Amino acid sequence: MNRKAQTHKRIRKKRTAIPVQPPKVPFGTYVSPPEIPMLYQRMKAGEQTKKLLPGMVEKHAEEESSIDVSSPRDNNSPIFGVVPKIVKMSDREKLIEQKCGEKQKSQKETEKMEKRRAKEDAAKMRKMLDKEKELEKRNKRKSKQSGKVGGDAPAPTLPDFIQSDKNIPLFLEKCIQFIEQEGLDSEGIYRVPGNRAHVELLYQKFEEEENVDIETLDIPVNAVATALKDFFSKRLPPLFDEDLMTELEDIAGSRGMASNTLSMEVKTDRSCRLLALRGLLNKMPSINFAILKYIFQHFVRVSENAKLNSMDSKNLAICWWPTLIPIEFNDMGHFEQLRPYLEDIVQTMIDQYPFLFCGKEAFVMV
């Protein structure tokens, strides 16, 4: 007998719903409405963009030329590129502001340059006017000294210069006082020349104001010393006239025997030469003698400080004899023959100052 195998049937139990108590909502609280499905939201947004698309195309017709058609989701498109456009406009504004700032800076710089040029031009004009005024003052003073407005003005004499209490020119006294206060220890005084601009400034200030204080001008001592030498050589008339100059050459022993007016004993004996030289100085006018005495007294003070300034009587004579004894030389031979004797005369006046200028009977042995 064949019997069919019985299949096992699984009995499924019926599922019964378990009752769940709904949550209790407190009274007075806000319950949000149910959320709208995302599919419905997308459909609604699509309908709105279809309605707004024609108007947006008309508004942004000018901007479409710069849109890249190759990318459908370009940031510059009307749908997706609203926020990036604002960023680009801000960059442009920054560039415009930078350019405006640069322009303002350049304008300020040009204004500063124009102001500087104007100041420089004004300073130049002032200098030109000052120079013209100085020239006018000099011409007026020259005319006063000469006593004539036009024509050839005669050479000024010693009394024409402004005199001090010591019966010497005031400029001479002020320069020597300044040098003795500030420059007795200056090495090479009268040998090292000063700056020409400082020399002219000193003359200018003295012409503007007679009682000018040289210390306030901040002029070096060498420049004042150079101005003093120029005052003797270019402004003062010669202290020795022609007759005294001829006698001075005879005393120096530099002339030939045929033209000598002094005996051979005077030329060879030093004491006799000193006596002859003192007699020559006594023949000078009083104002000439006062100026010569004052300048040689200054030379004595300078030579006393020779250890500091390296200017003894010999060096001072070398520097000053062409200024104090201005002789015109016809040729170099005559100059070389005469030069050592004239140096010796000036050196003797420094070394024998008490005997020659102060009237003392004993002379100094050198």
Side-chain angles (χ1 to χ4, degrees):
M1 290 178 63
N2 294 331
R3 294 181 180 179
K4 292 182 181 180
Q6 296 180 357
T7 59
H8 178 76
K9 292 183 181 181
R10 186 177 179 181
I11 300 171
R12 294 181 180 181
K13 294 181 180 182
K14 293 182 180 181
R15 297 178 181 180
T16 58
I18 299 172
V20 179
Q21 187 177 1
K24 293 180 180 181
V25 179
F27 180 76
T29 58
Y30 174 76
V31 180
S32 61
E35 294 182 358
I36 300 172
M38 292 297 295
L39 181 61
Y40 180 76
Q41 290 181 10
R42 291 176 182 173
M43 292 174 63
K44 197 75 175 176
E47 290 177 359
Q48 289 179 359
T49 52
K50 287 179 181 179
K51 291 179 181 180
L52 295 173
L53 188 59
M56 292 175 68
V57 170
E58 291 177 358
K59 290 180 182 180
H60 301 282
E62 295 178 356
E63 298 179 0
E64 286 182 353
S65 59
S66 62
I67 297 174
D68 188 5
V69 184
S70 61
S71 58
R73 288 184 175 269
D74 190 5
N75 290 331
N76 294 330
S77 64
I79 299 171
F80 302 99
V82 178
V83 176
K85 280 287 179 184
I86 296 170
V87 176
K88 286 192 175 182
M89 286 300 293
S90 64
D91 293 339
R92 289 178 184 175
E93 290 175 356
K94 287 180 181 179
L95 291 172
I96 292 169
E97 289 179 357
Q98 289 179 358
K99 289 181 179 179
C100 292
E102 291 176 357
K103 287 181 180 179
Q104 290 178 356
K105 287 181 180 179
S106 62
Q107 288 177 356
K108 289 180 179 179
E109 289 178 356
T110 53
E111 288 177 357
K112 288 181 180 179
M113 291 294 292
E114 289 177 356
K115 288 180 180 179
R116 288 178 184 175
R117 289 175 182 173
K119 288 181 180 179
E120 291 177 357
D121 294 338
K124 289 180 180 178
M125 290 296 294
R126 287 175 184 173
K127 288 181 180 179
M128 293 293 292
L129 292 173
D130 292 338
K131 288 182 179 179
E132 290 178 358
K133 289 180 181 179
E134 289 170 9
L135 291 173
E136 289 179 358
K137 288 180 180 179
R138 289 179 183 177
N139 293 330
K140 286 180 181 179
R141 291 191 177 181
K142 286 180 180 178
S143 62
K144 286 180 181 179
Q145 289 180 358
S146 62
K148 295 182 180 181
V149 178
D152 295 333
T157 60
L158 290 175
D160 294 334
F161 292 89
I162 302 168
Q163 303 296 318
S164 67
D165 298 335
K166 298 178 182 179
N167 197 24
I168 60 173
L170 185 61
F171 183 81
L172 171 64
E173 182 181 2
K174 284 185 172 294
C175 289
I176 289 178
Q177 287 178 356
F178 178 78
I179 293 169
E180 290 182 355
Q181 290 175 4
E182 304 292 335
L184 289 179
D185 58 347
S186 178
E187 186 174 0
I189 188 73
Y190 295 118
R191 188 176 68 240
V192 179
N195 190 357
R196 181 55 55 181
H198 291 153
V199 174
E200 295 298 331
L201 177 64
L202 180 59
Y203 283 130
Q204 173 188 341
K205 294 297 181 181
F206 185 77
E207 288 177 358
E208 292 175 358
E209 185 180 356
E210 297 172 358
N211 294 320
V212 63
D213 189 4
I214 301 177
E215 294 181 1
T216 60
L217 301 178
D218 194 18
I219 296 177
V221 179
N222 290 332
V224 180
T226 304
L228 181 61
K229 287 185 68 176
D230 289 349
F231 182 73
F232 272 92
S233 62
K234 298 178 182 178
R235 304 208 172 195
L236 277 182
L239 298 178
F240 299 97
D241 56 17
E242 294 181 1
D243 295 335
L244 291 176
M245 192 72 69
T246 303
E247 188 176 349
L248 188 63
E249 293 179 20
D250 290 336
I251 293 172
S254 61
R255 300 176 66 86
M257 294 295 295
S259 60
N260 276 346
T261 57
L262 298 176
S263 63
M264 192 65 183
E265 183 181 357
V266 172
K267 290 179 62 177
T268 55
D269 189 2
R270 185 172 179 81
S271 59
C272 294
R273 290 175 62 191
L274 288 174
L275 290 171
L277 185 58
R278 187 168 69 173
L280 181 145
L281 295 176
N282 291 332
K283 295 177 184 178
M284 296 178 66
S286 59
I287 187 170
N288 298 42
F289 182 81
I291 294 172
L292 199 65
K293 180 180 178 180
Y294 194 78
I295 190 65
F296 274 96
Q297 183 182 11
H298 169 63
F299 292 157
V300 171
R301 291 171 183 165
V302 174
S303 63
E304 288 174 353
N305 294 271
K307 292 182 179 180
L308 299 175
N309 53 39
S310 301
M311 293 299 291
D312 54 6
S313 60
K314 177 69 174 177
N315 292 329
L316 288 170
I318 293 171
C319 293
W320 272 91
W321 78 262
T323 303
L324 297 175
I325 311 174
I327 299 176
E328 296 182 0
F329 299 100
N330 298 325
D331 53 6
M332 287 300 296
H334 186 212
F335 170 77
E336 291 296 335
Q337 182 185 5
L338 202 60
R339 180 180 57 81
Y341 298 106
L342 296 176
E343 288 179 6
D344 182 70
I345 285 290
V346 176
Q347 184 179 359
T348 302
M349 288 183 180
I350 298 172
D351 295 334
Q352 305 297 333
Y353 173 80
F355 178 77
L356 295 175
F357 292 96
C358 301
K360 293 185 178 181
E361 294 301 328
F363 55 87
V364 181
M365 298 298 297
V366 180

